[in-house]
Amino acid sequence: MSILRVLMQYVQPGPSTHPSGFNINRDAFKVIYVAPMKALAAEITRKFGKRLAWLGIKVRELTGDMQLTRQEIAETQIIVTTPEKWDVVTRKPTGEGELASVCVSVQRSVARIRLIGRKSACSSLMRCIS
């Protein structure tokens, strides 16, 4: 549901050239989904990729085994990663280090979670990004 809310924020009014009929500004956002294990990250990537393909949303996995180029990161709207890989990406800027700038968006989401009273989810997410 949270991912759909993010997508709805970037739907632009007016006629769409995309077959889905939705005009989504795909370059304006990134969603980082942190899965607890690599196997789960692969499964989530596959499922989300199938379910969101009709909207033109690209989902890619970023784990210890899977690397993304700058171009792949730029083309991808949803990145599924593990806590360990996210820690590496945010602490050691490499080609994937540019993705660390997304932390600001993640921290805003943490603030929203805190506002709706899910303190346990908030603290888990803060451990992940700090």
Side-chain angles (χ1 to χ4, degrees), residues 31-35 37-38 41-42 45 59-69 72-73 76 78-90 94-100:
V31 173
I32 307 299
Y33 187 107
V34 181
M37 299 178 299
K38 184 183 164 310
T45 302
V59 182
R60 289 204 170 105
E61 179 182 348
L62 179 63
T63 59
D65 296 351
M66 307 292 282
Q67 304 296 319
L68 297 177
T69 64
E72 289 174 327
I73 291 171
T76 304
I78 301 176
I79 296 173
V80 182
T81 187
T82 58
E84 295 83 11
K85 184 63 174 185
W86 186 243
D87 184 52
V88 169
V89 167
T90 55
T94 62
E96 298 161 341
E98 294 175 5
L99 193 56

Side-chain angles (χ1 to χ4, degrees), residues 3-54:
I3 292 173
L4 292 176
R5 286 185 189 155
V6 169
L7 293 178
M8 291 303 297
Q9 290 176 2
Y10 294 96
V11 172
Q12 299 173 334
S16 173
T17 57
H18 194 272
S20 69
F22 290 98
N23 191 12
I24 299 173
N25 185 359
R26 290 168 187 80
D27 296 327
F29 70 96
K30 296 260 185 266
V31 173
I32 307 299
Y33 187 107
V34 181
M37 299 178 299
K38 184 183 164 310
L40 187 56
E43 181 181 341
I44 289 168
T45 302
R46 190 177 63 253
K47 285 183 177 182
F48 282 7
K50 284 182 185 177
R51 291 180 180 165
L52 297 172
W54 70 280

